[in-house]
Amino acid sequence: MPQGSSQRPHRVVLVVDENSNPFEMSCAIEIFGLRRPELGRTLYDFALCGTEPRTRMRDGFFTLTDIAGLDAAEEADTLIVPNRPDTDTPRSPRVLDAVRRAHARGARLLGFCSGAFTLAEAGLLEGRRAACHWMWADSFRARFPQVRLEPDVLFVDDGDILTASGSASALDLGLHVVRRDHGAEIANAVSRRLVFAAHRDGGQRQFVERPIPEVADASLGPLLAWAQERLGEPLTVADLAARAAVSPATLHRRFQAQLGTTPLAWLTGERVALACRMIERGEERLDVVAARSGLGTAANLRARVRRETGLSPSEYRRRFGPASGEPLMA
């Protein structure tokens, strides 16, 4: 759940620095800053701050004015650190100090794209997992060899520090944070307003430049849509392969290439997500949830939900279900 007090929404603060990327700033505003009356609640309190009241954005596209000072970062429950394309230029010492202070007092830190450089310069990623854009992976490794860089994923959730690899994956990480804070139902509602994929797992591969095969694999989209409508049925990997008219081995290769996971892992993840949505909507009978989500037994449901969310079904219900005291939807 968000770390904000019961008297106010969780406060998210985005720091912008000279030459910051405007796209990632817009992603943060879209996910954490917009009012969402359709949900019947305020998810976050959002603010923008910087070292100066006027900050020139990337390549001089525009200049932000009347920005709050860095003291706004002192009140953040989640602090989004600045990023920019000139990764070799050191970050502002004032920004790095603000990031270190936020981490020291227990704030959650997010880095979008080259934001991983900011976190590493602040000395907060040593021995920890992180993601950054594949174009900068070699440079990042050379400068910060003590960081456990995962260069071929969309984002990394390392507890109190989360990093997204590239520009668009800022949306993936942002929705992951909403899902972590408010549950799958709310995250899905936010994604629908974004007209964006509700959930792409952080382990999904970045779209790194690779040699183009002579014959590209067909999209998995139709197969995934077909399977998502039948999660409660006894679907197997063999059933998916038969539907796609390929061998299980070929299907496995396509899933690895397009989704960065296996057919069985994807199917299990979708079933757990469906089970979580049912719990959020108020279904208390675990045997019913297990049967309708395709997880089979209540015991398997408990094991899978705990593995995917870190919570037992009862803990998940207390945190995200209708009895949590806040309506899931207006």
Side-chain angles (χ1 to χ4, degrees):
M1 289 292 283
Q3 303 168 22
S5 71
S6 58
Q7 287 74 37
R8 62 170 175 80
H10 183 97
R11 186 167 180 79
V12 178
V13 177
L14 169 69
V15 182
V16 292
D17 202 1
E18 190 73 15
N19 210 30
S20 284
N21 281 326
F23 181 82
E24 286 84 349
M25 178 187 70
S26 300
C27 291
I29 293 172
E30 177 72 32
I31 292 176
F32 301 112
L34 296 189
R35 297 182 182 275
R36 303 196 182 278
E38 70 274 16
L39 299 182
R41 69 166 98 167
T42 300
L43 300 183
Y44 300 98
D45 177 26
F46 182 81
L48 204 65
C49 73
T51 57
E52 304 294 338
R54 294 175 58 88
T55 299
R56 181 175 177 269
M57 300 300 287
R58 177 178 180 176
D59 296 333
F61 289 143
F62 57 87
T63 298
L64 297 177
T65 60
D66 298 324
I67 305 173
L70 278 179
D71 54 341
E74 304 297 334
E75 301 178 1
D77 299 308
T78 291
L79 186 69
I80 305 176
V81 305
N83 66 348
R84 61 187 185 206
D86 52 332
T87 57
D88 292 332
T89 302
R91 266 52 173 178
S92 162
R94 293 176 58 199
V95 169
L96 296 179
D97 287 343
V99 172
R100 294 186 190 104
R101 288 195 301 272
H103 183 257
R105 60 179 171 76
R108 180 171 59 191
L109 303 179
L110 303 185
F112 294 157
C113 197
S114 59
F117 284 81
T118 303
L119 293 165
E121 284 184 42
L124 302 179
L125 289 182
E126 290 192 9
R128 302 189 63 154
R129 299 164 53 237
C132 77
H133 197 286
W134 60 269
M135 289 180 61
W136 293 314
D138 291 341
S139 172
F140 188 94
R141 283 199 189 95
R143 291 177 59 185
F144 308 109
Q146 301 305 315
V147 180
R148 294 162 54 195
L149 182 67
E150 298 185 12
D152 195 19
V153 297
L154 293 179
F155 62 83
V156 166
D157 181 343
D158 200 39
D160 58 342
I161 300 181
L162 301 89
T163 46
S165 59
S167 296
S169 60
L171 291 172
D172 292 297
L173 178 56
L175 288 170
H176 171 76
V177 169
V178 175
R179 179 182 295 264
R180 204 172 91 168
D181 290 346
H182 298 282
E185 190 77 11
I186 293 296
N188 290 342
V190 174
S191 71
R192 284 195 296 271
R193 182 160 165 179
L194 280 166
V195 196
F196 190 76
H199 179 59
R200 292 198 297 170
D201 187 82
Q204 182 172 331
R205 296 184 178 186
Q206 297 181 41
F207 296 103
V208 181
E209 286 186 355
R210 295 184 176 90
I212 300 175
E214 292 183 5
V215 179
D217 285 340
S219 170
L220 288 171
L223 176 64
L224 303 185
W226 177 84
Q228 285 168 332
E229 295 177 354
R230 296 164 175 81
L231 294 175
E233 300 177 12
L235 284 180
T236 65
V237 174
D239 294 328
L240 296 179
R243 176 70 183 182
V246 297
S247 69
T250 297
L251 185 70
H252 189 280
R253 288 195 296 271
R254 290 186 180 179
F255 265 77
Q256 287 287 5
Q258 297 184 34
L259 300 182
T261 189
T262 66
L264 181 59
W266 177 85
L267 190 57
T268 300
E270 291 297 308
R271 283 171 164 159
V272 171
L274 175 58
C276 288
R277 291 198 297 273
M278 293 176 63
I279 293 172
E280 290 173 18
R281 289 176 178 264
E283 178 57 69
E284 298 184 356
R285 298 165 296 175
L286 294 188
D287 56 339
V288 172
V289 174
R292 293 182 179 176
S293 64
L295 291 174
T297 66
N300 189 44
L301 169 69
R302 292 188 184 94
R304 295 295 182 179
V305 169
R306 181 176 290 278
R307 181 178 300 177
E308 292 289 330
T309 69
L311 302 171
S312 69
S314 59
E315 291 170 333
Y316 192 91
R317 181 186 299 111
R318 283 194 296 271
R319 182 170 295 189
F320 299 122
S324 63
E326 295 182 346
L328 285 175
M329 296 291 289

